[in-house]
């Protein structure tokens, strides 16, 4: 009896250690990835809020990412002066739901912003994100002038070695990256990694000095997003990132969640390949990011949960 | 209520609202405030606004130059300057009419309006002078204060109040504006409404109408004992207490005189207009010739040293011209553009030049602050008129604000649909300076911003993509020029058009329906 008990205990402990050692464990606060069961969750079908709820539940609940009393930033894509149906910005319903869940998990404050390409007042309003975020209790802040930003060094940067980052990111406890899946004229695809350009001040410099490398460099920022949520409810499949007409939009109704930003980008682009051809090798920042060891493109090594609604 | 107090009340409200209208960057004021800029003589004439012209005409025939006291923003500003800065030790007095000066300026202005040579009128139009003063002097000060407190007061995003970058509009506009204001202020401080009565063409024009006006201050020659109290308080210097007469062509209907006479000898009365009145008082001999105001001014200024003045004047003019030219270059970021871009609604350079009096309301209102005053870009016929620069932003595809606010209809209002097809300029590309070619790096910023994909990225070498332009599709918004990282002269830019055109319609492709059942990984 004692031996069986001992063996069982050994097996259970061993299994626990084995499972919990999965994923990077790092001492510096934000970098600590909660050891959940799944590395990536993909949801297909349903409406954005419902999809997020199912997705976050599968990851282990919002409480794994947002602790009580924390200051959180939810950073969607609000780049363009376009309405939600045109898929240029993140779905406002999704943003609203994420903000709501943050508060439910005990967040003290949730801040929402983006360094827009179009005029920020129009983009914030017409995207519907300002309204959705405020309705859920978030504080929406501008990001259109340089004084909102602070210089930060990127020690691992190859091209981009220092840059100005929005103070809301630097001041918060954790932040959630919420991009929308779109094609991109220069970078080929814009997903989670590229969404970090919205916390950055000088876009032109990045375009000038090897954009894909700069995107990868930017993602070596110490304060990495605790969670990435890729909105693929609507997807811009041509003429991205701004879009020309409604014909650029498709509605596959998908959602991808992961703390591994490279993994979630890889998953999203693989998903996109069902709509249009997009070889992963063309999206150079993926390769560069692996070199920085920010995450993995190798889907085989990931524990993935697939949910169909 | 005393008439003068009623006048002060109305003028204060009107003046404050007028200033606020120019300062309102978020569109918080009710839309009806836009009408204030349209109830102005020269804008109404240039925009062919018959309703307003009739209305103002009736007001003037009824009440003389009442417009000058309660509707003209520059008049209200002068009254304020006079009230605050007047030299209390030196009372006002009757001055002879600058007959030749004011009438010749009126003739030149009228010719300008009719023949389409507007810059002369632009420099003298009181509404436009006020507009430029608001845009280049009051607005930057206001924004400075606004930006200091915006963050604290708004606590998040407040769409009525937020930080607005202060954009430099060039030395030329600043100088003309400051110069005009200084000149008018000095006159106002010393003499009250001297500008209105000797230079302003609107004032002179109304002066002619007011000679036949129905209601006016009338001096009772029997009760009048020539005490001169009314004369000493007349901002228009039009009451001759010695002759017991009021020059109605210079009376701006401020009603101050009504309060002054201890015998109640000046009354606001109905006067039956006569043909003789229309022609004005015929010149007649007086016991003592009235001093001309210019002589008064020179006497107080001291002895004049002409050679020295000439020397410093020339030096001043020379030292200004170089920084002037340089500042305009800075404004346009050394863009390769050779033909200036006229804002949406301008129809053509010719239309703009013939209708714009450079009030700079469009400059103040543009959300991206890309409308800036020209120096010589349009030539002499377009100095100070608005042109687009893409240093600080680009023209939002959906925005038609400038065309909506222009009171002269120099920028004619266009709809959002019309704006989407409007071609103000055409894209040009220096492909050999594009970073994709020079550095073999993926950029694509230009195409990223293009609303019509008049510049698209095409496969170039491996995974690199190169921009290719389709000028027919271009609307001239400047998104590409704004974001192009090649400095100081961008590789892609917009060349202006002397006449706006229609951009080629975007071909609508069929919307793809996808039915994805799997994740793809």
């Amino acid at each position: 009896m004692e031996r069986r008990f001992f063996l069982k205990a050994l097996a259970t402990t061993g299994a626990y250690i084995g499972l919990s050692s999965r994923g990077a464990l790092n001492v510096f606060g934000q970098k600590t990835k909660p050891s959940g069961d799944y590395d990536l969750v993909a949801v297909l079908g349903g409406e954005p809020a419902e999809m997020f709820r199912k997705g976050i539940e599968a990851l282990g609940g919002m409480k794994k990412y947002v602790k009580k009393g924390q200051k959180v930033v939810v950073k969607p894509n609000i780049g363009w002066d376009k309405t939600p149906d045109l898929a240029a910005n993140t779905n406002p319903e999704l943003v609203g739901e994420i903000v709501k869940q943050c508060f439910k998990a005990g967040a003290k404050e949730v801040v929402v912003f983006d360094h827009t390409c179009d005029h920020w007042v129009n983009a914030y309003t017409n995207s519907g994100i300002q309204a959705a975020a405020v309705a859920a209790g978030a504080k929406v802040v501008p990001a259109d002038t340089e004084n909102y930003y602070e210089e930060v060094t990127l020690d691992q940067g190859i091209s981009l070695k220092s840059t100005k980052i929005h103070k809301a990111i630097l001041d918060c406890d954790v932040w959630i990256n919420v991009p929308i899946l779109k094609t991109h004229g220069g970078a080929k695809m814009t997903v989670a990694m590229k969404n970090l350009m919205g916390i950055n001040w000088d876009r032109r410099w990045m375009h000038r000095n090897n954009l894909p490398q700069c995107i990868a460099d930017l993602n070596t920022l110490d304060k990495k997003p605790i969670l990435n949520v890729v909105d693929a409810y609507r997807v811009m499949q041509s003429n991205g990132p701004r879009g020309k007409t409604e014909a650029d939009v498709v509605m596959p109704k998908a959602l991808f969640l992961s703390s591994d930003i490279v993994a979630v980008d890889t998953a999203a682009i693989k998903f996109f390949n069902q709509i249009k051809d997009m070889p992963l090798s063309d999206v150079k920042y993926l390769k560069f990011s692996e070199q920085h060891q920010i995450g993995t493109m190798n889907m085989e090594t990931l524990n993935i949960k697939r949910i169909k609604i | 209520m005393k008439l003068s107090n009623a006048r002060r009340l109305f003028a204060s409200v009107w003046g404050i609202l007028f200033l606020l209208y120019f300062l309102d960057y978020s569109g918080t004021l009710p839309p009806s405030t836009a009408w204030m800029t349209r109830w102005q003589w020269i804008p109404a004439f240039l925009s062919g606004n018959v309703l307003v012209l009739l209305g103002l005409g009736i007001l003037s025939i009824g009440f003389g130059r009442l417009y000058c006291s309660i509707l003209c923003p520059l008049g209200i500003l002068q009254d304020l300057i006079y009230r605050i800065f007047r030299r209390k030790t030196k009372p006002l007095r009757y001055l002879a009419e600058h007959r030749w000066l004011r009438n010749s300026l009126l003739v030149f202005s009228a010719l300008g309006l009719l023949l389409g040579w507007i810059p002369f009128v632009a420099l003298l139009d009181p509404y436009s002078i006020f507009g430029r003063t608001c845009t280049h002097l009051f607005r930057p000060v206001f924004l400075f204060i606004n930006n200091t407190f915006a963050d604290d007061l708004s606590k998040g995003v407040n769409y009525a109040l937020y930080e607005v970058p202060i954009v430099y509009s060039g030395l030329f506009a600043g100088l003309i504006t400051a110069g005009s204001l200084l000149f008018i202020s000095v006159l106002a401080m010393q003499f009250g409404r001297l500008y209105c009565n000797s230079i302003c063409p609107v004032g002179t024009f109304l002066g002619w109408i007011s000679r036949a006006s129905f209601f006016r201050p009338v001096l009772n020659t029997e009760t009048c004992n020539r005490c001169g109290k009314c004369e000493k308080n007349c901002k228009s210097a039009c009451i001759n207490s010695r002759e017991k007469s009021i020059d109605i062509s210079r009376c701006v209907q401020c009603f101050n005189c009504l309060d002054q006479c201890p015998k109640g000898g000046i009354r606001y009365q109905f006067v039956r207009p006569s043909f003789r009145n229309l022609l004005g008082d015929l010149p007649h001999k007086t016991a003592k010739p009235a001093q001309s105001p210019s002589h008064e001014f020179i006497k107080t200024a001291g002895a004049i040293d002409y050679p020295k003045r000439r020397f410093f004047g020339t030096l001043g003019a020379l030292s200004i011209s170089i920084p002037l030219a340089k500042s305009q270059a800075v404004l346009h970021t050394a863009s390769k553009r050779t033909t200036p871009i006229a804002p949406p609604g301008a129809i053509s350079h010719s239309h703009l030049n013939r209708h714009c009096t450079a009030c700079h309301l469009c400059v103040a209102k543009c959300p991206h602050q890309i409308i800036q005053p020209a120096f010589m870009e349009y030539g002499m016929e377009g100095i100070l008129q608005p042109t687009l620069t893409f240093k600080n932003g680009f023209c939002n595809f959906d925005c038609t604000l400038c065309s909506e606010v222009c009171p002269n209809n120099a920028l004619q209002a266009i709809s959002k649909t019309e704006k989407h097809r409007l071609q103000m300029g055409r894209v040009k590309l220096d492909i050999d300076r594009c970073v994709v070619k020079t550095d073999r790096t993926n950029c694509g910023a230009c195409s990223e911003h293009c609303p019509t994909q008049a510049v698209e990225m095409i496969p170039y070498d491996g995974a690199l993509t190169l921009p290719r332009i389709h000028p027919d599709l271009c609307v001239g918004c400047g998104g590409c020029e704004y974001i192009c990282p090649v400095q100081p002269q961008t590789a892609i830019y917009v060349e202006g058009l002397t006449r706006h055109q229609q951009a080629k319609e975007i071909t609508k492709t069929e919307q793809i329906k996808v039915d994805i059942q799997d994740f793809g990984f």
Side-chain angles (χ1 to χ4, degrees):
Chain A
M1 214 46 171
E2 278 179 18
R3 206 182 349 155
R4 260 185 236 152
F5 177 76
F6 175 68
L7 283 171
K8 260 194 214 163
L10 202 68
T12 323
T13 321
Y16 182 78
I17 292 169
L19 285 167
S20 65
S21 70
R22 228 201 188 100
L25 214 71
N26 201 299
V27 191
F28 298 103
Q30 242 273 190
K31 286 188 195 166
T32 311
K33 199 193 80 172
S35 49
D37 285 342
Y38 295 108
D39 302 307
L40 190 140
V41 173
V43 188
L44 194 59
E47 296 306 301
E50 176 194 8
M51 291 164 77
F52 178 72
R53 281 194 297 270
K54 290 220 146 65
I56 196 71
E57 193 189 316
L59 273 178
M62 197 56 141
K63 290 187 293 295
K64 280 197 127 69
Y65 301 93
V66 173
K67 307 295 175 210
K68 198 166 157 65
Q70 282 191 320
K71 286 192 334 192
V72 183
V73 168
V74 171
K75 198 292 201 185
N77 185 336
I78 324 178
W80 305 97
D81 175 13
K82 293 237 168 169
T83 48
D85 58 308
L86 293 170
N89 306 307
T90 309
N91 188 300
E93 217 188 288
L94 175 65
V95 177
E97 184 62 31
I98 295 176
V99 172
K100 200 166 124 190
Q101 295 297 332
C102 286
F103 279 117
K104 255 187 152 178
K108 183 175 80 177
E109 173 190 86
V110 178
V111 172
V112 174
F113 78 91
D114 189 19
H115 186 188
T116 64
C117 296
D118 274 333
H119 195 271
W120 72 276
V121 172
N122 297 343
Y124 277 30
T125 322
N126 295 328
S127 63
I129 291 175
Q130 150 83 0
V134 166
K139 181 176 156 184
V140 181
V141 300
D144 61 308
T145 48
E146 207 169 340
N147 61 297
Y148 288 111
Y149 298 78
E150 204 173 280
E151 189 87 28
V152 160
T153 44
L154 299 166
D155 299 316
Q156 290 176 269
I158 293 171
S159 184
L160 189 68
K161 298 197 195 232
S162 80
T163 189
K164 287 194 164 183
I165 299 290
H166 198 283
K167 288 183 200 162
I169 296 286
L170 301 173
D171 292 342
C172 73
D173 292 308
V174 293
W175 69 282
I176 301 174
N177 188 19
V178 195
I180 178 171
L181 179 61
K182 302 187 289 183
T183 59
H184 191 276
K188 286 296 172 2
M189 294 297 294
T190 166
V191 206
M193 287 186 68
K194 185 145 190 329
N195 202 34
L196 262 81
M197 282 180 81
I199 67 170
N200 180 50
W201 172 246
D202 194 347
R203 265 201 301 279
R204 276 197 201 93
W205 200 95
M206 291 178 70
H207 279 277
R208 181 86 180 72
N209 297 282
N210 195 347
L211 182 64
Q213 184 63 58
C214 287
I215 292 171
D217 293 344
L218 185 57
N219 277 272
T220 63
L221 183 70
D222 267 344
K223 202 95 169 265
K224 294 184 174 52
I226 194 104
L227 177 64
N228 302 284
V229 183
V230 177
D231 172 21
Y233 183 75
R234 285 189 188 89
V235 168
M236 186 178 283
Q237 50 86 18
S238 57
N239 292 314
R242 197 190 176 282
K244 205 164 68 171
T245 62
E246 304 86 3
D248 298 320
V249 181
V250 291
M251 202 150 139
K253 298 195 178 189
L255 190 74
F256 307 99
L257 304 91
S258 177
S259 290
D260 185 331
I261 201 168
V262 183
V264 81
D265 269 16
T266 309
I269 294 171
K270 284 193 168 204
F271 176 81
F272 182 80
N273 268 286
Q274 296 178 103
I275 302 168
K276 255 189 174 174
D277 259 337
M278 178 59 66
L280 285 168
S281 51
D282 278 0
V283 189
K284 290 203 203 131
Y285 58 76
L286 286 175
K287 184 97 197 141
F288 295 153
S289 67
E290 268 208 318
Q291 286 161 6
H292 275 313
Q293 295 180 313
I294 303 168
T296 179
M297 281 174 72
N298 192 347
M299 305 287 283
E300 311 289 310
T301 60
L302 302 171
N303 195 355
I304 302 169
K305 171 82 175 169
R306 295 169 181 78
I307 303 171
K308 284 194 185 175
I309 299 176
Chain B
M1 186 190 266
K2 280 195 290 185
L3 267 176
S4 60
N5 282 339
R7 186 266 302 167
R8 282 187 196 98
L9 181 66
F10 189 100
S12 304
V13 173
W14 185 266
I16 289 169
L17 274 176
F18 218 108
L19 173 65
L20 286 177
Y21 179 63
F22 267 85
L23 300 178
D24 177 24
Y25 52 79
S26 55
T28 310
L29 287 177
S32 50
T33 47
W35 275 100
M36 293 188 296
T37 58
R38 294 185 188 269
W39 278 91
Q40 303 293 322
W41 275 98
I42 288 180
F45 182 83
L46 285 169
S47 63
N49 196 331
V50 177
L51 175 77
V52 171
L53 286 172
L54 259 170
L56 288 174
I58 290 169
L59 181 77
S60 307
I61 289 173
F63 303 95
R65 288 178 63 177
L66 186 60
Y67 160 87
C68 300
S69 278
I70 65 168
L71 294 182
C72 177
L74 190 63
I76 297 170
L77 180 63
Q78 286 176 80
D79 284 348
L80 184 69
I81 292 171
Y82 172 75
R83 199 186 170 100
I84 299 174
F85 297 108
R86 69 172 173 235
R87 287 176 37 190
K88 296 209 177 84
T89 48
K90 194 166 180 278
L92 298 167
R93 47 176 295 174
Y94 177 75
L95 298 168
E97 187 194 354
H98 274 98
R99 194 165 292 190
W100 274 105
L101 179 63
R102 66 194 296 223
N103 285 307
S104 51
L105 287 175
L106 174 62
V107 168
F108 284 134
S109 301
L111 280 174
L113 283 174
L114 293 167
L115 301 176
W117 208 77
I118 302 296
F120 183 73
V121 180
L123 289 172
L124 300 181
D125 170 38
Y127 158 68
S128 300
I129 292 172
F130 182 79
R132 290 191 291 271
T133 307
C134 281
T135 305
H136 302 297
L137 299 176
F138 298 149
R139 190 169 178 264
V141 172
F142 167 74
L143 286 182
F144 182 77
I145 299 167
N146 171 79
N147 292 346
T148 315
F149 293 108
D151 269 346
D152 301 322
L153 287 175
S154 59
K155 292 258 176 275
V157 159
N158 178 341
Y159 284 146
L161 185 73
Y162 50 83
E163 191 172 331
V164 176
I166 299 174
V167 170
Y168 177 53
S169 287
L171 194 58
F172 185 55
L175 278 178
I176 299 273
T177 307
S180 305
L181 183 68
L182 187 67
F183 177 65
I184 292 169
S185 301
V186 167
L187 290 182
M189 279 190 259
Q190 303 245 12
F191 302 106
R193 296 292 201 107
L194 189 57
Y195 178 83
C196 310
N197 290 334
S198 52
I199 298 174
C200 181
V202 180
T204 310
F205 169 71
L206 290 178
W208 282 106
I209 296 182
S210 70
R211 285 178 223 264
S213 62
F214 288 110
F215 289 92
R216 59 178 76 182
V218 174
L219 201 155
N220 188 333
T221 46
E222 278 151 28
T223 41
C224 174
N225 64 357
R226 296 206 183 105
C227 72
K229 270 199 91 187
C230 56
E231 178 180 326
K232 292 190 185 111
N233 285 280
C234 177
K235 292 184 308 231
S236 296
C238 68
I239 304 178
N240 189 340
S241 53
R242 196 181 303 273
E243 303 281 316
K244 296 189 185 179
S245 69
I246 297 177
D247 179 1
I248 197 65
S249 81
R250 286 187 285 153
C251 170
V252 294
Q253 307 260 345
C254 71
F255 314 129
N256 283 5
C257 53
L258 306 177
D259 310 329
Q260 294 305 318
C261 182
K263 295 182 174 263
I266 301 191
R267 287 245 175 87
Y268 198 62
Q269 281 178 331
F270 172 85
V271 170
R272 193 168 318 136
S274 79
F275 194 56
R276 217 234 228 127
N277 286 358
L278 210 61
L279 293 172
D281 299 323
L282 299 162
H284 52 273
K285 284 209 175 109
T286 48
K288 185 179 174 189
Q291 287 284 339
S292 128
S294 30
H295 281 128
E296 286 285 321
F297 191 58
I298 291 167
K299 258 204 251 172
T300 51
I304 309 160
D305 191 348
Y306 284 110
K308 225 195 256 180
R309 282 197 177 188
R310 232 176 294 161
F311 173 73
F312 282 115
T314 326
L315 195 68
L318 279 173
S319 57
I320 283 297
S321 55
I322 297 163
L324 245 169
K326 269 203 169 144
S327 86
Q328 289 302 117
V330 165
L331 210 57
H332 293 267
T333 9
S335 170
K336 279 189 85 172
R337 171 165 52 254
T338 51
T339 307
I341 303 171
I347 300 172
S348 65
H349 286 192
S350 166
H351 176 92
L352 178 70
N353 296 155
R354 283 165 187 274
H355 291 85
C356 174
T357 51
C359 72
H360 294 173
L361 180 61
C362 55
V363 175
K365 289 289 186 182
C366 176
H368 266 296
Q369 302 192 88
I370 63 165
I371 303 182
Q372 295 301 333
F375 178 32
M376 289 293 281
E377 289 87 323
Y378 291 113
M380 274 300 286
E381 65 264 37
I383 54 166
L384 289 175
Q385 289 181 0
T387 181
L388 301 192
T389 145
F390 303 126
K391 187 176 178 184
N392 304 305
F394 54 94
C395 185
N396 183 315
F397 195 48
D398 295 339
C399 183
T400 54
L401 191 54
C402 57
S403 78
E404 291 166 36
V405 298
C406 179
N408 296 14
N409 281 3
L411 302 178
Q412 276 191 5
I414 56 174
S415 69
K416 199 162 100 171
T417 337
E418 286 169 325
K419 174 83 180 340
H420 286 179
R421 290 288 301 276
L422 177 71
Q423 186 175 81
M424 313 183 271
R426 289 168 71 90
V427 58
K428 282 201 143 145
L429 176 61
D430 270 352
I431 194 73
D432 294 323
R433 290 195 302 123
C434 174
V435 296
V436 180
K437 257 205 165 179
T438 59
D439 295 14
R440 296 189 61 77
T441 177
N442 255 328
C443 176
C446 49
S447 175
E448 195 177 320
H449 275 259
C450 185
T452 59
Q453 291 299 289
V455 53
E456 58 164 349
M457 303 307 287
I458 51 163
Y460 172 49
D461 188 358
L464 285 179
T465 51
L466 198 66
R468 175 162 68 186
I469 60 172
H470 305 281
D472 285 342
L473 286 171
C474 179
V475 293
C477 73
C480 53
E481 187 178 327
Y482 163 69
I483 201 67
C484 178
V486 179
Q487 299 289 325
Q489 218 173 50
T490 56
I492 193 168
Y493 64 99
V494 181
E495 187 60 81
L497 289 170
T498 50
R499 173 159 275 275
H500 287 178
Q501 292 169 175
Q502 277 244 297
K504 193 167 118 180
E505 198 170 359
I506 300 171
T507 43
K508 283 239 158 134
T509 43
E510 278 296 305
Q511 189 145 22
I512 305 174
K513 280 242 154 19
V514 289
D515 184 25
I516 299 191
Q517 298 295 333
D518 254 316
F519 294 94
F521 54 86

